[in-house]
Amino acid sequence: MNKKEEFTEWFDKQGFKYFKAYEFTRYFERELNGYPPKSKWKNIVSALEIVDKLRGDLGHPIRITSSYRADKYNKKVGGASKSLHKEFKALDIQCTGLSPARLYHRLKKYRDAGEFKGGLSEYKTFVHIDTRGENADW
């Protein structure tokens, strides 16, 4: 079984309602990127559970624009040297028809309600969410 098949099989067992493995595997297969080590796969579950909930609550498709980044790829895209994308604990997301501000504010409500602990940041075209274990904004 190759990495794509192995990741897809693992991902499908996680039971996400709105996301499929191919939304990640196509990102992993970009030049200079790669599949996260198997030991890091579980790291994305908490963040994706929140984004899966967000997708259902808003009733709009959410697109993952960034997930796991290998070191070389992270450097290529200008990521922070200690980026949680490298640990597969972070997602950048967009939603056609909804502003990043709306996504950010809904995610902040979830966090304020104790549904997760992590970082949030609103950018011009996307929102970053991570599950670092403590709340942070920038």
Side-chain angles (χ1 to χ4, degrees):
M1 185 177 304
N2 64 35
K3 287 181 183 181
K4 183 175 187 174
E5 292 168 336
E6 193 174 359
F7 180 83
T8 298
E9 183 178 290
W10 171 84
F11 190 93
D12 290 347
K13 290 178 183 175
Q14 303 313 302
F16 297 109
K17 186 172 182 180
Y18 298 104
F19 290 93
K20 302 295 180 199
Y22 74 85
E23 295 176 82
F24 289 87
T25 58
R26 65 182 179 204
Y27 187 78
F28 301 156
E29 293 170 355
R30 291 183 177 182
E31 185 179 357
L32 298 179
N33 207 14
Y35 282 77
K38 193 173 183 177
S39 62
K40 293 183 179 183
W41 292 359
K42 67 185 180 316
N43 293 353
I44 201 58
V45 171
S46 297
L48 194 53
E49 285 173 343
I50 294 300
V51 176
D52 202 49
K53 173 183 170 62
L54 178 69
R55 197 177 204 180
D57 289 351
L58 294 175
H60 288 271
I62 292 174
R63 195 171 110 229
I64 297 167
T65 60
S66 183
S67 62
Y68 174 75
R69 297 181 194 157
D71 282 328
K72 287 181 182 180
Y73 187 73
N74 190 60
K75 287 177 188 169
K76 176 185 174 186
V77 299
S81 62
K82 294 184 180 182
S83 172
L84 290 175
H85 287 281
K86 294 178 5 177
E87 297 304 317
F88 204 24
K89 291 184 177 184
L91 298 169
D92 294 341
I93 60 172
Q94 294 177 324
C95 183
T96 302
L98 296 178
S99 69
R102 185 152 177 211
L103 299 176
Y104 173 84
H105 290 294
R106 180 63 66 101
L107 289 168
K108 191 165 183 330
K109 282 184 179 181
Y110 294 165
R111 192 179 67 185
D112 291 347
E115 295 187 40
F116 77 100
K117 287 186 178 189
L120 288 174
S121 189
E122 176 189 341
Y123 294 89
K124 185 176 180 178
T125 61
F126 67 93
V127 171
H128 169 96
I129 176 175
D130 66 58
T131 51
R132 63 184 63 205
E134 61 188 21
N135 294 341
D137 294 279
W138 63 96

